[in-house]
């Protein structure tokens, strides 16, 4: 099936991850676990770790800065930041991001939350806005820090980073097909009451809710659209750890012809190359997987339809599709993304643990030093002051 249903979609796309990581073999040895459990059982090789001078705002600006031209900054009418790692209960991080990026002032800036799902709602909102205002653009950023606690069950599924997407009419990469099927269920599989440092999570239960949610939205999507797996060149999944999407896809493929199974599983592997090296980005995870797929698969061409499965605990799930536009490959950033991943510093477990425990004290004015493009420079009068290099 090769057709382009709409012309609103993702024009530019980039991710940012912090400059430090832990090797999962080191973590396994330190936690007295067989490394194969992390590399094969969970499917993670490295895990991003953020220093105290980096937060969801510096992640967001570092991702968006890579893709925005001066013309884009004049054309963006809405900045949507999706996160479940908010740094303020009141002021939206999008307002700070808007200012740091120098977006034109007559824009709307808002933060959205629903666990790992919110960026998908942001993308839909952006689509509808641009469909109504085709000469304007929307910046959607998914940015999070996934922390479960040292030596906790969720520790090997931590990570952090941001994905920035510029939505426009006549997109250069992907047309969004506006065929979304969403599912809301009031379930406690992963949640974080206000003020609680780390989430409460029932990992096994969350696995089964995720798998069931994919099954439900996929079946409903097929019913509404008379669709089949064979219509898709690839399906990208929300990837809190890379084994997760595989556990949802494999049972649904069981009755498919072998060629379809093989093709979609090979594409799945292309979609987790970056995620294996970064870990969990919460709401950015699906979109990191999308970038990984586009930049690492050699089996994609213009007109191909890609399915996307978004899942946020609590829960909201959504399945939707996008179509690759001609010339998409010229607008990917594989060289830059690989350079970012390869330039990171590997931490010892001791260094990771002490970085993990560092906390900002808002009661004392403090100055920091960080050489990154965007960082927290200072805590002053109970708020963060950012530095742009
Ligand atoms: N070699 C290879 N695989 C191994 C292994 C070894 N030596 N030891 C264990 N495994 C496999 C297990 O068989 C299991 O595979 P399966 O899931 O396919 O059955 C996998 O590794 C994990 O083992 P398990 O015993 O389930 O691990 P755990 O109790 O430590 O829990 C998570 C793992 C992922 C559930 C836990 O880290 C967690 O809760 N993370 C947070 C999940 C989350 O973010 N949920 C919300 C978002 S969707």
């Amino acid at each position: 099936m090769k057709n382009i249903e709409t012309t609103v979609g993702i024009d530019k796309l980039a991710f940012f991850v912090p400059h430090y990581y832990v090797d999962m073999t080191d973590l396994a040895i330190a936690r007295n676990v067989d490394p194969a459990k992390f590399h094969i059982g969970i499917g993670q090789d490295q895990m991003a770790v953020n220093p105290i001078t980096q937060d969801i705002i510096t992640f967001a600006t570092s991702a968006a800065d890579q893709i925005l031209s001066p013309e884009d900054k004049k054309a963006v009418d809405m900045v949507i930041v999706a996160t479940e790692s908010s740094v303020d209960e009141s002021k939206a991080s999008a307002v700070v991001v808007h200012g740091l990026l120098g977006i034109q002032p007559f824009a709307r800036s808002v933060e959205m939350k629903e666990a790992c799902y919110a960026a998908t709602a942001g993308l839909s909102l952006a689509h509808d806005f641009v469909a109504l205002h085709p000469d304007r653009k929307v910046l959607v950023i998914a940015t999070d820090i996934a922390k479960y606690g040292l030596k906790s069950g969720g520790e090997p599924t931590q990570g952090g980073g941001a994905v920035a997407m510029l939505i426009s009419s006549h997109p250069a990469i992907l047309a969004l097909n506006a065929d979304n099927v969403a599912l809301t269920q009031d379930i406690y599989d992963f949640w974080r009451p206000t003020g609680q440092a780390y989430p409460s999570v029932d990992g096994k239960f969350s696995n089964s809710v995720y798998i069931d949610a994919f099954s439900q939205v996929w079946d409903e999507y097929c019913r509404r659209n008379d669709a089949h797996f064979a219509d898709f060149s690839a399906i990208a999944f929300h990837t809190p750890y890379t084994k997760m999407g595989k556990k949802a896809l494999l049972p649904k493929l069981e009755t498919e012809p072998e060629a379809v199974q093989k093709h979609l599983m090979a594409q799945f592997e292309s979609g987790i190359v970056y995620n294996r090296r970064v870990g969990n980005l919460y709401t950015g995870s699906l979109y990191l997987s999308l970038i990984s797929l586009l930049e690492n698969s050699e089996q994609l061409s213009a007109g191909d339809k890609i399915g996307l499965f978004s899942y946020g605990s609590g829960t909201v799930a959504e399945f939707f599709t996008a179509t690759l536009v001609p010339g998409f490959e010229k607008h990917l950033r594989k060289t830059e993304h690989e350079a970012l991943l390869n330039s990171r510093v590997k931490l010892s477990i001791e260094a990771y643990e002490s970085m993990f425990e560092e906390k900002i004290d808002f009661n004392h004015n403090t100055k920091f030093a960080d050489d990154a493009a965007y960082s927290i420079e200072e805590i002053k009068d109970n708020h963060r002051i950012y530095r742009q290099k």
Side-chain angles (χ1 to χ4, degrees):
M1 202 155 80
K2 296 210 174 196
N3 59 333
I4 295 172
E5 285 86 353
T6 76
T7 54
V8 176
I10 300 174
D11 192 37
K12 298 182 181 179
L13 186 59
F15 75 80
F16 174 81
V17 294
H19 295 293
Y20 301 96
Y21 73 94
V22 159
D23 186 284
M24 295 305 277
T25 299
D26 296 347
L27 186 65
I29 291 167
R31 300 294 180 251
N32 215 12
V33 168
D34 180 354
K37 175 177 172 182
F38 291 172
H39 291 286
I40 300 165
I42 287 174
Q44 291 303 136
D45 301 324
Q46 297 171 349
M47 185 173 88
V49 181
N50 72 296
I52 197 170
T53 47
Q54 296 283 318
D55 64 9
I56 56 155
I57 288 172
T58 64
F59 291 176
T61 48
S62 301
D65 209 17
Q66 299 174 51
I67 57 172
L68 295 179
S69 68
E71 291 70 35
D72 292 331
K73 292 179 188 187
K74 287 183 200 140
V76 167
D77 268 356
M78 183 150 54
V79 179
I80 299 172
V81 173
T83 188
E84 57 180 302
S85 322
S86 192
V87 296
D88 197 295
E89 296 281 10
S90 182
K91 177 170 174 156
S93 53
V95 173
V96 185
V97 168
H98 167 276
L100 285 168
L101 291 172
I103 306 290
Q104 64 88 15
F106 298 101
R108 181 186 290 147
S109 300
V110 69
E111 188 172 302
M112 296 181 76
K113 176 183 71 180
E114 168 26 45
C116 302
Y117 163 76
T120 300
L123 201 55
S124 241
L125 188 59
H127 171 278
D128 295 354
F129 181 89
V130 174
L132 271 178
H133 309 277
D135 56 335
R136 308 303 294 163
K137 298 180 183 181
V138 177
L139 177 63
V140 180
I141 308 175
T143 179
D144 266 310
I145 297 170
K147 273 185 155 183
Y148 290 82
L150 296 175
K151 300 175 186 162
S152 65
E155 186 183 34
T157 62
Q158 299 179 137
V163 175
M165 299 177 268
L166 187 67
I167 310 309
S168 75
S169 54
H170 311 295
I173 299 176
L174 280 162
L176 294 167
N177 295 325
D179 52 1
N180 305 39
V181 175
L183 173 75
T184 296
Q185 304 174 98
D186 185 5
I187 287 170
Y188 281 82
D189 59 330
F190 170 109
W191 67 103
R192 183 155 72 93
T194 306
Q196 190 172 299
Y198 306 124
S200 299
V201 57
D202 184 340
K204 302 275 184 327
F205 181 47
S206 145
N207 283 354
S208 65
V209 179
Y210 175 112
I211 292 165
D212 176 66
F214 174 64
S215 178
Q216 287 198 59
V217 290
W218 168 256
D219 289 349
E220 180 62 13
Y221 180 87
C222 292
R223 196 187 64 75
R224 290 186 193 179
N225 297 283
D226 189 25
H228 307 274
F229 279 112
D231 301 333
F232 289 84
S233 290
I235 300 178
F237 283 81
H238 165 54
T239 308
Y241 54 99
T242 70
K243 184 81 166 290
M244 190 65 258
K246 195 179 281 183
K247 283 158 81 100
L249 181 57
L250 277 174
K252 296 299 282 184
L253 285 180
E254 264 168 15
T255 52
E256 294 295 315
E258 202 183 327
V260 173
Q261 293 187 26
K262 272 193 172 159
H263 177 71
L264 288 178
M265 289 318 296
Q267 296 287 63
F268 179 86
E269 292 300 325
S270 297
I272 58 172
V273 172
Y274 294 155
N275 305 67
R276 288 191 75 94
R277 298 185 63 185
V278 171
N280 200 349
L281 263 66
Y282 284 159
T283 191
S285 292
L286 165 62
Y287 299 97
L288 179 67
S289 181
L290 175 64
I291 297 175
S292 181
L293 170 73
L294 300 182
E295 295 184 357
N296 294 294
S297 169
E298 289 171 359
Q299 300 184 60
L300 290 171
S301 53
D304 283 356
K305 187 177 262 197
I306 294 173
L308 293 103
F309 175 62
S310 180
Y311 176 84
S313 290
T315 68
V316 181
E318 194 156 316
F319 185 83
F320 63 106
T321 76
T323 302
L324 285 167
V325 304
F328 75 93
E329 64 283 349
K330 294 197 286 278
H331 300 275
L332 301 177
R333 304 177 58 79
K334 184 170 170 141
T335 308
E336 292 86 345
H337 287 144
E338 284 185 346
L340 173 67
L341 291 171
N342 294 338
S343 66
R344 295 176 303 162
V345 174
K346 180 177 146 177
L347 295 175
S348 67
I349 296 304
E350 294 71 29
Y352 147 66
E353 289 180 348
S354 78
M355 198 176 269
F356 188 98
E357 298 283 26
E358 281 183 322
K359 286 188 180 59
I360 287 179
D361 178 359
F362 287 97
N363 295 317
H364 295 98
N365 292 350
T366 319
K367 292 201 172 180
F368 298 105
D370 182 332
D371 208 27
Y374 288 91
S375 63
I376 303 172
E377 181 173 56
E378 194 176 350
I379 299 301
K380 194 175 175 198
D381 303 334
N382 195 35
H383 71 278
R384 297 161 199 240
I385 294 175
Y386 293 90
R387 167 176 171 269
Q388 183 178 5
K389 208 165 118 182

